[in-house]
Amino acid sequence: MTSTLYDQIKDICQEIQQGANDALKAAIDKNARYGVKLLKEKSPKRSGVYAQGWKSVAVKKSDGLYEKVIKNKVYQLTWLLEYGHDVINNGNGVGLTVIGRAKAKPHISVVREILEKRIEADVESELDKRL
């Protein structure tokens, strides 16, 4: 049985897609570990619990794609530290009073930008090797 040109092109496209998926998975794995390391270094370290709470978790999505999520054990602080927040004084019977604003300490967005660039570069270099 002879294969048609269409079948050959289809097989080549599937190989390329599989290679791209493998390259992306490898880049995500490598950079998730690096991202955790960077976040531990760049996070505010008042007590150290928040900074040491970073870890990466693998997630397989329903469409078959693969991703890793970087989480913190003290997830309640991530937004407050990244963007800042109001400091509130709880007065006796008077109600809540905003007495100031805690400064934002951007660390997640900085690491995210670094990881996006690294993943893109890693995938491109891996695809260049494979193709």
Side-chain angles (χ1 to χ4, degrees):
M1 178 176 197
T2 60
S3 63
T4 64
L5 179 60
Y6 173 78
D7 291 336
Q8 291 173 351
I9 292 173
K10 184 177 172 185
D11 290 342
I12 291 170
C13 289
Q14 286 175 344
E15 287 178 32
I16 291 171
Q17 184 177 9
Q18 185 60 44
N21 287 343
D22 292 345
L24 182 60
K25 185 176 189 280
I28 287 172
D29 284 339
K30 174 183 159 188
N31 286 294
R33 289 188 300 273
Y34 181 69
V36 168
K37 179 183 171 211
L38 271 180
L39 281 165
K40 286 182 177 184
E41 292 171 4
K42 294 187 178 292
S43 292
K45 294 174 184 62
R46 193 157 141 195
S47 69
V49 174
Y50 175 76
Q52 293 305 313
W54 293 104
K55 66 179 180 176
S56 65
V57 179
V59 176
K60 187 164 186 171
K61 295 168 65 175
S62 62
D63 56 4
L65 294 176
Y66 174 83
E67 69 179 24
K68 283 222 171 181
V69 177
I70 299 176
K71 296 181 174 188
N72 194 301
K73 275 195 282 188
V74 193
Y75 63 90
Q76 300 91 335
L77 291 179
T78 56
W79 179 270
L80 298 173
L81 290 171
E82 182 75 9
Y83 299 105
H85 58 90
D86 290 336
V87 177
I88 297 174
N89 180 19
N90 188 3
N92 295 331
V94 180
L96 302 177
T97 309
V98 176
I99 59 173
R101 178 110 182 122
K103 244 179 153 178
K105 299 176 182 176
H107 53 290
I108 299 169
S109 58
V110 172
V111 171
R112 181 185 178 139
E113 289 175 15
I114 292 169
L115 291 180
E116 286 174 351
K117 290 176 185 170
R118 282 179 55 110
I119 288 171
E120 184 177 338
D122 287 352
V123 169
E124 284 180 8
S125 68
E126 188 65 31
L127 288 176
D128 287 344
K129 288 179 198 173
R130 292 175 188 231
L131 302 177

